[in-house]
Amino acid sequence: MVEQFVGKWTLVSSDNFDEYMKAVGMSFATRQMGNLAKPNLIISVEDDGVISMKAESTLKTTAIQFKLNEEFDETTADGRNAKSIFTVENGKLVQKQSWEGKTTTLEREVQDGKLTA
């Protein structure tokens, strides 16, 4: 299911990311740092089905581990405490985060050898 996402992915471009960060309530300073970051995303899957997702940049490294369709507690890169769940829908890796009555959905898809989020 998630095998197509396994590997090391390098950020090439980031469209509308500042608007996204504003919408989820990040401060100006945090958005400035976020806009500077050009992370590598490393995705791996263990034999027991645990998926690891690690974002590495010169500014910060974050990592999460999860199983598909199982909600877990996540501290986001900007410090939000969220409940997250990952599913696979129509070939996309879909992450839904909920915190303080708000929700956001992140979709990752591989096309032509490139990962888009």
Side-chain angles (χ1 to χ4, degrees):
M1 269 191 215
V2 295
E3 289 74 25
Q4 66 189 10
F5 298 96
V6 171
K8 183 175 181 178
W9 306 93
T10 302
L11 179 66
V12 175
S13 67
S14 184
D15 300 329
N16 300 317
F17 188 51
D18 193 61
E19 289 80 10
Y20 171 79
M21 291 188 290
K22 279 183 196 175
V24 298
M26 292 184 199
S27 70
F28 177 77
T30 301
R31 291 195 329 264
Q32 293 305 308
M33 295 298 284
N35 283 320
L36 290 174
K38 302 295 181 213
N40 288 316
L41 182 64
I42 302 159
I43 301 173
S44 61
V45 181
E46 304 300 323
D47 290 338
D48 61 359
V50 173
I51 300 165
S52 296
M53 190 177 290
K54 185 175 182 182
E56 298 178 327
S57 77
T58 55
L59 302 173
K60 190 171 193 172
T61 296
T62 60
I64 57 174
Q65 290 187 316
F66 57 91
K67 284 189 173 186
L68 288 177
N69 306 309
E70 291 184 16
E71 188 175 71
F72 65 98
D73 294 320
E74 176 184 9
T75 302
T76 63
D78 62 309
R80 287 175 289 125
N81 293 314
K83 295 279 188 188
S84 290
I85 188 167
F86 280 82
T87 57
V88 174
E89 301 171 23
N90 300 318
K92 296 179 182 180
L93 185 60
V94 179
Q95 178 183 10
K96 294 181 182 175
Q97 291 177 329
S98 302
W99 74 103
E100 297 176 2
K102 301 175 186 175
T103 60
T104 188
T105 302
L106 304 160
E107 294 182 348
R108 293 173 177 90
E109 182 176 24
V110 176
Q111 289 183 326
D112 300 324
K114 295 179 183 177
L115 176 71
T116 6

